[in-house]
Amino acid sequence: MIPAAFDYIRPSTVEDAVNALADAGEEGKVLAGGQSLLPVLRLRLAAPALLVDLGGLSQLRGIREDGDMLVIGAMTTHAELAASSVPLLAQVAATVGDRQVRHRGTLGGSLSHADPAGDLPTAAVALDAQMVLAGPHGRRTVAASDFFVDLFTTALAPDELLIEVRVPKLQGWQTHYTKVGRTAQAWATVAVAAAVRRENGSIAQARVALTNMGPTPVRASAVEQALAGVAVDGDAIAAAAAHAAEGTAPASDTTASAEYRSHLAKVLTRRALLAAVGR
Amino acid sequence: MSGLFEEIHEQPAADVPTRRVSITVNGDKRVAQVEPRLLLAHLLRQGLKLTGTHTGCDTTNCGACTVLFDGKPIKSCTMLAVQADGHEVTTVEGLAGASELHPIQEGFKDEHGLQCGFCTPGMMLAAKALLEENPDPTEDEVRWALSGNLCRCTGYQNIVKSVMWAAKKMQAQSAS
């Protein structure tokens, strides 16, 4: 399968990339690692006139500290993230696709693609990540919860680029990501990201986010509320996890029914929380 | 498909935008004039006649087209040739030395690691990347490292044995 013809540029600055996108209007498309875009182009589900390859923007690659935050460049690959010590994101990145995909695929690409079965969008929502976007009129920061708008749809304008992702260091938190897929390399049927902060033997604060339980990643707010202040105890965690599917809208497809996804959400929320607290 | 061959020949059609790429393939610098849409797998197979790189599923699933890109395994059907400009690529043709097989190839021969052989080039390159990173893997680690490579003959038992065989041989070689 061969993509439709397109023109190609590989800018060396963010400004050049943004200007090229602005000139191309709706006809431009950003190429990061290409692990989602190239399959789409090969199937001719999209046929942009111009690809703007970010592969030359080495300044968007790598992880740095900024006070209480970690700042991850959008072109950091899943393999690089998996080898890092970024809380939650390192573990999540190690579960994306397979080894080959992780060497090419990038954090920024995965977030911008916004696949409802994507793992990294869920981690971003669980961490309350801040997305830094660059456009022709400068930069703006968008909260992860506002970034994911709908199925494969983000707050990015056609002439904007996601350039970096800011996440809290979460010192003193325990995190875990639990995923069920049909095969080792499959997209998540359902997955759950959990982060827990303990104080004096009980759960002071919990963050739980769900993958593939609707068109965008969602926080399991009812679970988070049920966990606040409870003892770190298997029964209490199981009782809270029973709320995981509340307010969600999972799809039914050839992999799983909505009912099965709702069941999985509860089971995996319990498992993710127990694994996070080391039970 | 005929248009594609023109793209990677020296004189492409005038109305097609092309780019000149320079890629080090198995140690040799190769230069080609390509259309931006040309996939690396197609440049290797049709442009450079390195047909050991197989294209299986064309959907980034099967891993038959796996090559090493700057030493790391990637799926060459999911990379544009223009993205490889200035980089190093190793294909299955680059595995063996002048007179002897690579230990991974020997392992696949000795342990019957192939049936139809279609997935084998990708399996061997994924295995090479694993053994460079982890010279003494467990069976489980081999299985995880190969989880992006599918064998439709389902000959996984012997593929894993072949990689374990190669790991032992390579360790013995580096110890001696």
Side-chain angles (χ1 to χ4, degrees), chain A residues 1-8 31-32 34-35 38-39 42 44 51 53 98-101 103-104 184-185, chain B residues 1 4 19 35-37 39 58-61 66 69 72-75 77-79 82-83 133 147-149:
Chain A
M1 290 179 284
I2 296 157
F6 51 78
D7 206 352
Y8 168 91
L31 173 63
Q35 302 304 288
L38 290 185
R42 275 187 322 224
R44 301 209 179 190
L51 281 198
D53 181 4
D98 51 50
R99 186 168 286 224
Q100 290 94 319
V101 166
H103 280 306
R104 293 295 301 159
Q185 57 171 197
Chain B
M1 283 292 280
L4 254 194
R19 296 289 183 281
E35 252 201 87
R37 63 172 166 164
L39 301 172
D58 244 345
T59 55
T60 325
N61 282 289
T66 297
F69 180 75
K72 307 284 188 198
I74 60 113
K75 294 181 177 177
C77 79
T78 313
M79 183 174 207
V82 284
Q83 290 179 287
E133 205 177 286
S147 63
N149 296 74

Side-chain angles (χ1 to χ4, degrees), chain B residues 129-149:
Chain B
L130 167 71
L131 296 182
E132 275 167 14
E133 205 177 286
N134 179 1
D136 187 20
T138 63
E139 194 179 306
D140 202 41
E141 287 168 335
V142 171
R143 288 178 186 277
W144 272 109
L146 299 181
S147 63
N149 296 74

Side-chain angles (χ1 to χ4, degrees), chain A residues 25-252:
Chain A
E26 297 285 335
E27 290 298 309
K29 194 83 187 150
V30 178
L31 173 63
Q35 302 304 288
S36 296
L37 180 60
L38 290 185
V40 164
L41 296 183
R42 275 187 322 224
L43 292 166
R44 301 209 179 190
L45 296 172
L50 174 72
L51 281 198
V52 179
D53 181 4
L54 307 188
L57 301 178
S58 53
Q59 61 271 43
L60 296 189
R61 211 158 162 174
I63 301 163
R64 62 184 165 86
E65 291 185 45
D66 183 10
D68 291 340
M69 307 290 277
L70 293 168
V71 184
I72 308 159
M75 287 298 286
T76 305
T77 65
H78 305 320
E80 289 162 349
L81 200 47
S84 77
S85 55
V86 180
L88 188 62
L89 277 175
Q91 191 212 344
V92 171
T95 75
V96 176
D98 51 50
R99 186 168 286 224
Q100 290 94 319
V101 166
R102 291 193 291 273
H103 280 306
R104 293 295 301 159
T106 66
L107 174 63
S110 179
L111 297 177
S112 303
H113 186 58
D115 193 308
D119 302 298
L120 290 159
T122 304
V125 166
L127 294 172
D128 284 328
Q130 297 169 351
M131 316 295 200
V132 181
L133 316 186
H137 308 296
R139 296 185 176 185
R140 65 183 178 120
T141 301
V142 177
S145 54
D146 297 326
F147 183 78
F148 300 103
V149 175
D150 203 344
L151 208 65
F152 298 106
T153 308
T154 68
L156 280 163
D159 56 0
E160 277 185 317
L161 277 183
L162 172 61
I163 57 168
E164 60 188 30
V165 180
R166 301 168 63 87
V167 297
K169 284 183 181 167
L170 287 190
Q171 271 158 356
W173 288 67
Q174 296 168 294
T175 65
H176 196 79
Y177 189 63
T178 300
K179 166 157 95 170
V180 163
R182 286 178 303 124
T183 63
Q185 57 171 197
W187 292 92
T189 303
V190 170
V192 178
V196 175
R197 185 170 62 82
R198 294 157 81 157
E199 235 172 56
N200 305 323
S202 55
I203 295 174
Q205 206 182 345
R207 300 172 177 203
V208 178
L210 312 173
T211 303
N212 221 358
M213 286 298 288
T216 65
V218 284
R219 287 283 278 270
S221 314
V223 177
E224 294 178 357
Q225 282 158 20
L227 284 170
V230 305
V232 182
D233 163 275
D235 290 341
I237 286 174
H243 297 288
E246 286 175 18
T248 62
S252 286

Side-chain angles (χ1 to χ4, degrees), chain B residues 103-125:
Chain B
I104 293 171
Q105 294 172 308
E106 276 188 86
F108 273 74
K109 180 166 166 270
D110 235 66
E111 294 286 349
H112 305 282
L114 60 151
Q115 290 174 43
C116 84
F118 197 85
C119 71
T120 313
M123 288 284 180
M124 292 198 299
L125 288 163

